[in-house]
Amino acid sequence: MTLLSNISPPLIPGSLSQQMSVLDLFLPGFTNITTAASQVLSGNLTGYTQLMCLFALAAFLKPYVSQLKDWFLQHCTSTIYIKSSDETYHMVQTWISSQGLDDTARSILAKVKTKQNPTQGHDPHAKKALRYAPWEGSFVFWYKHNLLYYQTTQVDVGFHKEEQISITCAGRSGILRELLEDCRRGYLNESKNKTTIHGHRDEYWRKEKAVAARPLSTVILDEKQKDDLIKDIQNFLNPETRHWYSQHSIPYKRGYLLHGPPGTGKSSFSLSIAGESDMDIYVVSIPDANDQMLKGLLG
């Protein structure tokens, strides 16, 4: 009797095709693609047919590549969003411009500089100088050895569109917070000795301009009234006063009513108080205001 060993089991006809059909349940079109790819690699097809197979392979892989990209962005990246209605938008734009990164953007918004730095004197060559800022589009840049992705888009806000900045990094959002902190410091340094005036559009504040801080000594007003008001403001801004309001559950608010004929210094005095206290001015047009708008602006 002869013993046979190491005999491979017979190949069951159709087993390979059955495996392929099972894979088709999870990856539709897998069998056709692998068959075409095998023929392409073996060189059994003409150049035109090979090209068509490559296009078919790209079309087959596209949704899976898109899903892989979405998964990576969702689980491996962090993104911070900044609306143009927030002052952070101006902080980021100022930093981007100061770093020369606006030259990297493919889509750029050009504006005329309407204000000239008074410390530079009159320069006829700087008249109608242009400033540039990234517009709708995207670009990448390096920040502290991290590659960041900057993108601007237009989003619907009520009945109008608003620009929105998004900055994306790999990993956690710590580097994005550092970037915004750098933007904030640079913005405050540029705004030093200036008073920023904000207007509003519906329920959102918008920066309108920044003017040189006006000294109190330039405002003609009764000295006693001026001193009493300044002392009261300084006392109110004292951290101990805020703590006292909080302890007694009193809303931390203070209001002053300045009245008088036009040209008597009400606006000038308000501007000088803001400069003296290192605060901004927010202007509300009373005829256009309503309860909902004020709640949104002051909320």
Side-chain angles (χ1 to χ4, degrees), residues 191-202:
S191 303
K192 191 177 295 183
N193 299 323
K194 293 181 180 179
T195 301
T196 303
I197 301 176
H198 302 264
H200 69 89
R201 180 175 182 178
D202 297 329

Side-chain angles (χ1 to χ4, degrees), residues 152-178:
T152 58
T153 54
Q154 296 287 327
V155 296
D156 292 324
V157 180
F159 296 100
H160 67 278
K161 288 185 177 292
E162 181 181 50
E163 185 179 356
Q164 177 178 269
I165 295 174
S166 64
I167 305 177
T168 303
C169 71
R172 298 293 182 180
S173 61
I175 192 65
L176 298 179
R177 298 173 187 270
E178 291 183 29

